Amino acid sequence: MKYQDLTKSGLFHGLNDEEIQALLHDVHPVEKHYARHEVVFYLEDLADRIGIILRGEILVSKIFESGKLVRMTVKNKGDMIGEAACFSYGKTYPCQLSAEKDADVLIFTRDDMKKILQADDRVLQNFLSELAGQTYFLHRKVELLSYKGTDQKLAFFLLTQSKSRNSKMIPIPGSIVKMSLIMNVSRTTLHREIRNLEENGLIRYQNKIIEIRDSQGLRELLSEE
């Protein structure tokens, strides 16, 4: 494993590869490879491990008793997986995590992660920031999914992104596929709604950038029953 790979992780933000190597000297993480669709953490398994994605993508999904699967989000290189569950009272994974693409993941036990967090205040702060970011994301996800229409979901996404970026130019988050995953709609449906909003003069879509042209019009969409 190249310790330089971990400098891209939010957990080790601000540390160089030598500092990371020193931190990991007394712990024993295991690097594992997962083929596409292979499960990393099963739903309701004992949450005693945390992963850092070195390469590839990991899908976080929720499987309900009815058999319905909801794709929650996709984690990318540098992201942690299982961190909230590992230190929760429930001690089980509330979602299933599987490789969206072939992936390499560095797996830590709970005890090893505790040693790292206690050894460096910067890492502890990074860990807390990552948890806070995940909590904020989930609140926004719930609010987004409360809207029934794809046009409303798209309007909500664009308005919240515009507010956080202080800009009317909103980049597509990776790809239309990933954006459709965020909204829990099909790629085809999302493409259609983007075209509809564009035809109605509310947005302009070009080169993976959506420009908001009528913010009030988007807000009016959200108020529709």
Side-chain angles (χ1 to χ4, degrees), residues 94-105:
C95 297
Q96 180 164 291
L97 291 90
S98 56
E100 181 80 343
K101 297 180 179 179
D102 284 9
D104 295 320
V105 181

Side-chain angles (χ1 to χ4, degrees), residues 66-105:
S66 63
K68 181 180 180 181
L69 183 145
V70 175
R71 295 163 60 92
M72 300 294 291
T73 188
V74 171
K75 298 286 192 94
N76 300 286
K77 179 179 179 179
D79 290 339
M80 283 191 293
I81 56 174
E83 69 279 11
C86 199
F87 288 101
S88 70
Y89 288 115
K91 294 294 190 294
T92 60
Y93 297 112
C95 297
Q96 180 164 291
L97 291 90
S98 56
E100 181 80 343
K101 297 180 179 179
D102 284 9
D104 295 320
V105 181

